[in-house]
Amino acid sequence: TKRLSKIQFSEGNVAKMSKSVYNLKGIRSGWIKFRINSILVAKVIDVVETSTPGIANLEIGINKDDVYLVSLGKSFNVKTSDYKKGQLVKVEYETFIHTIDERGKSANSLPVESYSVWAPRVLSESIPQGAKVSRTKEVIVSAIQDHVYQQKVIQNEGKLFYIK
């Protein structure tokens, strides 16, 4: 299972005993899972309340070129009271998606780039003093090293190309 989780383009691997049961309470017996993931430090852009009282999703972002914050999307559920806008959080994610959109690009312009993460889980509301928000270039390098980088190019003809 561990070996299969590390092959190229794998998102991880789960092995289950033949009589194991998927329990809706999240209690599993007879399962072993190896996920491929990486970690970054994000800034909380917004705390988005869910329909469940006291539970929120965090809109998180990282720095682009040390100039501005770009959103990576929303986290899985967290306790609302533990988080505030502007706070730094450690986030584990399974895929870093870098989209390069060339539609509408003229000869002298750059394509529009955007970023998102798949399955972002906030690991900690407390970040060591002096920690900084991750930068896109650093995250791309670590995502490539951790085998969780995906680049999507959208060309003018509307064609999509996925590069990993």
Side-chain angles (χ1 to χ4, degrees):
T1 298
K2 191 171 190 177
R3 182 178 54 81
L4 290 173
S5 73
K6 294 185 180 283
I7 63 174
Q8 191 171 11
F9 304 114
S10 173
E11 293 181 354
N13 193 25
V14 176
K16 301 183 245 180
M17 293 177 67
S18 63
K19 294 185 180 186
S20 68
V21 176
Y22 181 82
N23 184 313
L24 293 178
K25 294 178 183 174
I27 301 167
R28 292 171 189 87
S29 176
W31 290 36
I32 186 166
K33 182 174 185 177
F34 292 96
R35 284 184 294 119
I36 306 298
N37 56 42
S38 194
I39 294 174
L40 57 81
V41 175
K43 189 175 216 175
V44 176
I45 297 171
D46 198 9
V47 178
V48 183
E49 297 281 341
T50 67
S51 58
T52 304
I55 302 296
N57 301 125
L58 303 179
E59 183 179 355
I60 55 173
I62 58 174
N63 285 335
K64 166 93 170 132
D65 303 327
D66 292 329
V67 179
Y68 59 93
L69 203 62
V70 293
S71 175
L72 296 179
K74 294 180 187 151
S75 72
F76 287 143
N77 293 347
V78 297
K79 288 183 181 177
T80 307
S81 60
D82 291 343
Y83 301 93
K84 306 281 182 250
K85 282 184 185 181
Q87 180 177 348
L88 300 187
V89 292
K90 187 185 283 187
V91 177
E92 176 187 67
Y93 62 93
E94 293 182 15
T95 307
F96 182 79
I97 304 157
H98 177 192
T99 303
I100 302 169
D101 190 345
E102 296 179 348
R103 293 176 295 184
K105 176 184 156 206
S106 66
N108 297 328
S109 68
L110 295 173
V112 175
E113 293 183 74
S114 60
Y115 309 90
S116 61
V117 287
W118 179 256
R121 290 170 294 281
V122 176
L123 298 179
S124 174
E125 66 274 3
S126 60
I127 297 295
Q129 193 167 354
K132 295 184 179 184
V133 176
S134 296
R135 298 181 321 194
T136 53
K137 289 178 183 177
E138 297 167 345
V139 174
I140 289 170
V141 168
S142 71
I144 290 169
Q145 289 173 346
D146 294 338
H147 307 287
V148 295
Y149 178 74
Q150 184 179 86
Q151 185 182 90
K152 178 170 77 170
V153 178
I154 306 170
Q155 292 189 328
N156 283 326
E157 301 84 35
K159 295 179 181 174
L160 298 178
F161 296 95
Y162 291 92
I163 304 164
K164 192 163 186 178

